[in-house]
Amino acid sequence: MADYKANLTVMTTAARIAAKGLRRDFGEVENLLVSVKGVGDFVSKADTKAEQVIRETLMHARPAYGWLGEESEPVEGSDPRRRWIVDPLDGTTNFLHGLPHWAISIAMEHKGEIVAGVVFDPIKDELFTAEKGGGAWVNGKRLRVSNRKDLSECLFATGVPFGEKKTLGLTTKDLVSLMPTCAGVRRFGSAALDLAYVAAGRYDGYWERELSSWDMAAGLLLVREAGGYLSDISGGTDILESGSVIAANPAIFEKFSKTLS
Ligand code: 2AM
Ligand code: CA
């Protein structure tokens, strides 16, 4: 019989192996930033390499599971109820610009529900983990969402749509209604870390549209297990399907949601 390690152990191992390569590549980005050739191709290779090593590690440990990753074709497993949902490098644009704010995100889905999640920020050495019913943790310390109750004290995060995304107008409207009521809004460029920071009580709430499942899957479980509330942008429960998310501490969730368009 195969050596059966807990899913979180397998996921953490995969994240740490990928982190080694990404950390090395991120060091190289500094040199490339000033080179004629630029950083673009190099970073997209770093991205693909990281996904490959995560995929090999996870598929080796759980050969029957399916796969959904940002950089490769999806795979239906021989066990159709279980699959990995992986973003090997969330915050690619930050990485590309030498900004030290990006993460590896690995989630495990069982019967359509996320049951384990790992978000690893190798630069700050913060390993966020959660298992359904087992709480959310960072480097072994229990996480809890914030308990701020007045919007005026709350710090929020979002992602402002760029490029061809269609919801810039909506997000702009959100900012117009929210900014005067709160302590501030941050836009750091990694959805996985934004969710992890809500779980850690650093942000009181976060919202974004037009995301992919791999950006959010692990982070959603972190928030839930840290006691936060979640919905899609229209107040429903289809977060992964809709690609939109609202996450916040329970005390402000309703007020915060109502402020958004
Ligand atoms: P990435 O760095 O892995 O691309 C920032 O607002 C968030 O949006 C990041 O988590 C980023 O993930 C994600 N993102 C970037 N481009 C995207 C796209 N075309 N579709 C969905 N999410 C995207
Ligand atoms: Ca991503």
Side-chain angles (χ1 to χ4, degrees), residues 70 87-92 190-192 211-212 214-216:
E70 177 157 21
D87 191 343
L89 177 52
D90 187 55
T92 311
S190 162
L211 289 170
S212 303
W214 46 76
D215 302 319
M216 298 188 270

Side-chain angles (χ1 to χ4, degrees), residues 145-151 227 229 248-256:
V145 293
S146 74
N147 59 15
R148 291 189 192 87
K149 294 172 183 64
D150 290 328
L151 284 189
Y229 283 5
N249 87 38
I252 57 150
F253 185 86
E254 207 179 317
K255 271 182 285 184
F256 173 48

Side-chain angles (χ1 to χ4, degrees), residues 104-118:
I104 296 156
S105 172
I106 303 178
M108 198 220 134
E109 187 189 54
H110 181 220
K111 295 189 194 163
E113 187 188 7
I114 308 300
V115 294
V118 166

Side-chain angles (χ1 to χ4, degrees), residues 47 70-71 87-94 158-162 165 187-194 206 208-212 214-216:
D47 223 316
E70 177 157 21
E71 306 295 332
D87 191 343
L89 177 52
D90 187 55
T92 311
T93 306
N94 287 344
T158 190
V160 179
F162 50 88
K165 291 192 179 192
R187 194 270 184 256
F188 281 180
S190 162
L193 286 176
D194 288 340
Y206 160 71
E208 186 161 352
R209 299 181 179 79
E210 293 186 82
L211 289 170
S212 303
W214 46 76
D215 302 319
M216 298 188 270

Side-chain angles (χ1 to χ4, degrees), residues 23-62:
R23 222 188 271 119
R24 201 167 45 229
D25 289 343
F26 188 66
E28 186 60 26
V29 164
E30 263 185 9
N31 302 323
L32 290 169
L33 280 174
V34 292
S35 76
V36 182
K37 211 166 148 234
V39 190
D41 275 357
F42 179 81
V43 169
S44 79
K45 277 198 198 102
D47 223 316
T48 316
K49 272 190 307 188
E51 176 147 331
Q52 251 167 22
V53 53
I54 294 171
R55 188 168 163 148
E56 279 162 21
T57 310
L58 296 179
M59 298 299 240
H60 178 75
R62 299 286 187 274

